[in-house]
Amino acid sequence: MSGDPIHPTYGQATRAGSDETEGQKQNCPWLFVTHEKCQKEDVVAGLHTAQDNAVFKFEPFILHVECREVEDARLLHSAAVNSGFRNSGITISKKGKIMMAVRSTHCLEVPLCHRGTVLVSDEYIGYLVQVANRKMEENQRRIDRFHACLRSILDPTAPEGPGEEDVGAAAVYTRRRRRGAGAKRQTGGEETSQSDGESDLAFLMGPT
């Protein structure tokens, strides 16, 4: 929670403070925070200590990865999207830094208190907690799928994975990297790319 917040983050939480943006947290003490499923009583107890505004939040898993090559980012993006993190995306800076963000949209943010006055009933808080706990369960399922997908990409012989299509993509990518390394040894210089720039960047044009 925030504002005087109750807030499950990568889970749930309540935060307290003024009506400020998420980036301005210095004046927003946390009233209650957990990375596990929570109970209504914990949220209510934290909310009753609020002296200003308070917000109940659930924040799903997020991961930022700097990749060496666009193809690495593309494979990671595919694993993320196929695992349910459909708000994931790739950015390339002006200096060429390739960043892959694993994100999801199943977040939750609900105002509970305004200037020290609680705006909702305990029953409604209990309902929010149930919704947030279900989101927490789904969050863990997506993390588990993402982990299994990464295992299949790194090791196509792994017993569990995202499916034949992704395993096949991983195998193709592995062959490309091996051919590229061989070309580098033969030339004694820069690694030769096995794919054209248009196909490497085509995935950036589609929806994430």
Side-chain angles (χ1 to χ4, degrees):
M1 256 191 295
S2 89
D4 283 349
I6 288 173
H7 174 280
T9 169
Y10 170 16
Q12 301 134 347
T14 303
R15 193 194 246 135
S18 57
D19 294 328
E20 296 179 339
T21 62
E22 181 64 17
Q24 297 173 307
K25 296 182 179 180
Q26 63 273 21
N27 296 321
C28 294
W30 296 106
L31 302 177
F32 171 72
V33 180
T34 179
H35 291 267
E36 308 293 337
K37 291 193 290 184
C38 64
Q39 302 295 321
K40 179 187 74 172
E41 293 74 18
D42 296 327
V43 178
V44 171
L47 185 61
H48 285 169
T49 67
Q51 298 178 356
D52 202 335
N53 302 330
V55 176
F56 180 90
K57 297 184 66 179
F58 168 83
E59 295 179 346
F61 173 81
I62 184 170
L63 174 69
H64 291 90
V65 181
E66 182 176 354
C67 302
R68 291 182 178 178
E69 300 178 8
V70 170
E71 188 68 13
D72 297 324
R74 188 194 69 79
L75 274 177
L76 189 58
H77 179 266
S78 176
V81 171
N82 290 338
S83 302
F85 296 102
R86 301 190 180 279
N87 198 37
S88 300
I90 300 169
T91 59
I92 303 177
S93 70
K94 293 181 179 179
K95 294 184 179 180
K97 179 186 291 186
I98 304 168
M99 294 297 300
M100 166 60 202
V102 181
R103 294 187 299 254
S104 183
T105 59
H106 68 297
C107 55
L108 178 68
E109 182 169 357
V110 182
L112 298 181
C113 182
H114 179 64
R115 296 181 178 178
T117 301
V118 178
L119 304 174
V120 299
S121 66
D122 287 1
E123 288 74 16
Y124 184 69
I125 293 174
Y127 168 73
L128 288 179
V129 168
Q130 291 179 19
V131 172
N133 285 342
R134 288 197 296 268
K135 288 179 177 290
M136 179 71 82
E137 293 173 353
E138 175 59 23
N139 191 62
Q140 187 60 55
R141 284 192 291 268
R142 295 184 187 190
I143 291 173
D144 292 341
R145 289 198 298 266
F146 183 54
H147 180 248
C149 193
L150 288 179
R151 287 186 59 195
S152 293
I153 289 175
L154 297 174
D155 180 11
T157 64
E160 296 182 1
E164 295 181 359
E165 180 179 350
D166 296 295
V167 172
V172 171
Y173 174 62
T174 301
R175 290 196 295 270
R176 286 181 177 177
R177 292 296 295 270
R178 288 175 179 171
R179 288 201 301 267
K184 184 176 181 179
R185 286 194 297 270
Q186 292 176 7
T187 60
E190 296 184 2
E191 183 174 339
T192 303
S193 174
Q194 297 299 317
S195 59
D196 59 88
E198 182 176 337
S199 59
D200 279 346
L201 297 176
F203 71 96
L204 294 174
M205 305 301 293
T208 58

